[in-house]
Amino acid sequence: MNLHEKYMRRCMQLAQNGLGTTYPNPLVGSVIVLNDKIIGEGWHKEAGQPHAEVNAIQSVTNSSQLANATIYVNLEPCSHFGKTPPCANLIIERGIKKVVIGSKDPNPKVAGKGIQKLIEAGCEVIQGVLAPECDHLNRRFFSYHSKNRPYIFLKWAQTTDGFIAPRTRDTQNPVWISTPYARQLSHKLRGQEQAILVGSNTVRADNPSLTTRDWDGPSPVRIVVDPSLKIEKDSQVYNQEVKTIFITSRPTENRSNLFFEQVDFSEKVGLQICEVLIRHQLQSLIVEGGAQTLQTFIDEALWDEALVFTGNTTFGSGVEAPKLQGNLISEKQIDTDTLTHYKNTAS
């Protein structure tokens, strides 16, 4: 590993601290190096707050060192005025002459303009250091700006004999397949992504809250597919605790924290849902099911990663788990459950 890669990995490590709190902004970390020693570092913590480069520069105790230092950042410094001033301008103003960048920003407001501004100001700019890894870190942000759809995670629990739910629910509601440890991990995942989607059958069967009640983190926006709006109004998804978007065929007036988006259920529903989510500026989505809802996204090739928990139980019969084909990323044990992680080769 060369020194540029070493410090870029540190940028990515810092950036990861902002997962779940920086939306709609990307994950960015920054490191300032002088004589092969880190003299400052920072990351972007929340939209509207200072960017990574600002925090890194402000952490340097002796600002006179900046003129001879190198600043590393995993994403191209911004060049436009948003909620905060442009980071490219700050780098130039502070006299930093060497900038090492991982990814080029896909946001049309930046898209190379930050790099151009730095070069025109006389900075030495090194681009593309660990670019594939930096791109992957911000895959949600990149999907939103480059594919015009959220980055989509599929998640479900299934039995060892391949069922996602029993045929009947006589004694237990909801029916738990995975362990409490796996469910806590699921709530951690909810805190990292912007939205979570279920169908009306899941809501009527389980009455889920779809929040991060078992993890310290922001709850995602709830997306509920309910074509005829038959879900009972005392269901938890109607409690206005978090923003909730209902996907329906019926025109309905929005009210406090509840939004009703009309789609044509005779056409590709998954694609229309993605269009709704883009309008609501949502960069990532967890699709939790049930089986029919999950299969809709699989059949439309609208998924990027899948997380499948296989519990140490059998049903013998019931609702079969979705079928997908993808590259195996990893497989690990979560207590008595097995978590299998897939990547869509086509995404």
Side-chain angles (χ1 to χ4, degrees), residues 22-54:
T22 66
Y23 296 116
N25 293 347
L27 299 170
V28 186
S30 181
V31 170
I32 299 175
V33 177
L34 178 65
N35 298 327
D36 294 336
K37 179 182 178 181
I38 294 177
I39 61 171
E41 60 182 27
W43 71 91
H44 183 41
K45 299 178 181 179
E46 188 175 336
Q49 292 189 10
H51 289 187
E53 300 94 320
V54 177

Side-chain angles (χ1 to χ4, degrees), residues 25-84:
N25 293 347
L27 299 170
V28 186
S30 181
V31 170
I32 299 175
V33 177
L34 178 65
N35 298 327
D36 294 336
K37 179 182 178 181
I38 294 177
I39 61 171
E41 60 182 27
W43 71 91
H44 183 41
K45 299 178 181 179
E46 188 175 336
Q49 292 189 10
H51 289 187
E53 300 94 320
V54 177
N55 289 329
I57 289 170
Q58 291 179 346
S59 74
V60 176
T61 55
N62 182 359
S63 61
S64 67
Q65 295 179 305
L66 292 172
N68 298 310
T70 300
I71 186 167
Y72 291 79
V73 60
N74 61 282
L75 186 69
E76 174 185 0
C78 62
S79 56
H80 65 291
F81 283 87
K83 293 183 179 179
T84 58

Side-chain angles (χ1 to χ4, degrees), residues 289-329:
Q292 181 179 345
T293 302
L294 285 158
Q295 198 65 52
T296 294
F297 282 84
I298 294 170
D299 292 345
E300 292 188 35
L302 289 173
W303 68 280
D304 297 285
E305 298 179 39
L307 300 164
V308 182
F309 292 88
T310 302
N312 188 24
T313 186
T314 59
F315 285 163
S317 64
V319 180
E320 291 188 359
K323 309 297 182 185
L324 61 72
Q325 291 183 336
N327 282 349
L328 176 65
I329 296 177

Side-chain angles (χ1 to χ4, degrees), residues 30-295:
S30 181
V31 170
I32 299 175
V33 177
L34 178 65
N35 298 327
D36 294 336
K37 179 182 178 181
I38 294 177
I39 61 171
E41 60 182 27
W43 71 91
H44 183 41
K45 299 178 181 179
E46 188 175 336
Q49 292 189 10
H51 289 187
E53 300 94 320
V54 177
N55 289 329
I57 289 170
Q58 291 179 346
S59 74
V60 176
T61 55
N62 182 359
S63 61
S64 67
Q65 295 179 305
L66 292 172
N68 298 310
T70 300
I71 186 167
Y72 291 79
V73 60
N74 61 282
L75 186 69
E76 174 185 0
C78 62
S79 56
H80 65 291
F81 283 87
K83 293 183 179 179
T84 58
C87 292
N89 290 16
L90 179 65
I91 291 170
I92 294 166
E93 290 166 5
R94 293 303 180 94
I96 302 173
K97 297 299 183 183
K98 188 170 183 178
V99 185
V100 181
I101 297 168
S103 299
K104 183 178 177 181
D105 194 328
N107 186 344
K109 294 180 179 179
V110 185
K113 299 183 184 72
I115 293 170
Q116 181 181 357
K117 181 175 286 189
L118 291 167
I119 292 173
E120 290 176 351
C123 296
E124 178 188 355
V125 179
I126 298 174
Q127 305 178 46
V129 176
L130 297 180
E133 293 175 51
C134 291
D135 291 355
H136 179 73
L137 174 67
N138 274 309
R139 57 198 183 277
R140 303 158 181 84
F141 184 75
F142 275 60
S143 180
Y144 181 84
H145 287 286
S146 301
K147 297 181 180 179
N148 201 35
R149 71 162 174 84
Y151 194 88
I152 299 174
F153 297 84
L154 308 180
K155 189 188 76 65
W156 71 83
Q158 65 184 30
T159 61
T160 55
D161 53 352
F163 295 101
I164 198 171
R167 185 71 61 192
T168 60
R169 300 178 181 227
D170 296 332
T171 59
Q172 185 184 355
N173 190 18
V175 177
W176 295 114
I177 295 174
S178 56
T179 67
Y181 297 101
R183 293 198 294 273
Q184 187 178 43
L185 177 57
S186 295
H187 286 209
K188 177 184 178 182
L189 294 170
R190 290 179 183 180
Q192 295 174 345
E193 309 308 330
Q194 269 196 291
I196 185 169
L197 181 146
V198 295
S200 57
N201 290 338
T202 296
V203 174
R204 285 197 293 268
D206 298 339
N207 191 23
S209 67
L210 304 177
T211 60
T212 53
R213 62 191 182 277
D214 288 341
W215 192 263
D216 183 18
S219 291
V221 175
R222 299 182 294 205
I223 315 297
V224 181
V225 182
D226 189 10
S228 301
L229 293 180
K230 292 182 178 180
I231 294 174
E232 295 294 331
K233 299 305 182 287
D234 60 354
S235 300
Q236 293 192 85
V237 293
Y238 271 102
N239 63 18
Q240 301 183 16
E241 179 181 344
V242 296
K243 178 178 177 178
T244 304
I245 302 170
F246 292 88
I247 306 297
T248 180
S249 61
R250 296 187 174 185
T252 307
E253 187 175 345
N254 298 331
R255 48 189 184 270
S256 180
N257 237 18
L258 300 178
F259 299 81
F260 298 85
E261 294 281 1
Q262 192 174 0
V263 303
D264 182 355
F265 280 86
S266 67
E267 300 294 337
K268 291 186 176 182
V269 176
L271 181 60
Q272 294 178 79
I273 290 172
C274 286
E275 292 170 351
V276 168
L277 269 58
I278 288 296
R279 290 201 299 271
H280 285 264
Q281 297 185 314
L282 297 171
Q283 293 182 7
S284 66
L285 172 69
I286 304 171
V287 180
E288 281 209 354
Q292 181 179 345
T293 302
L294 285 158
Q295 198 65 52

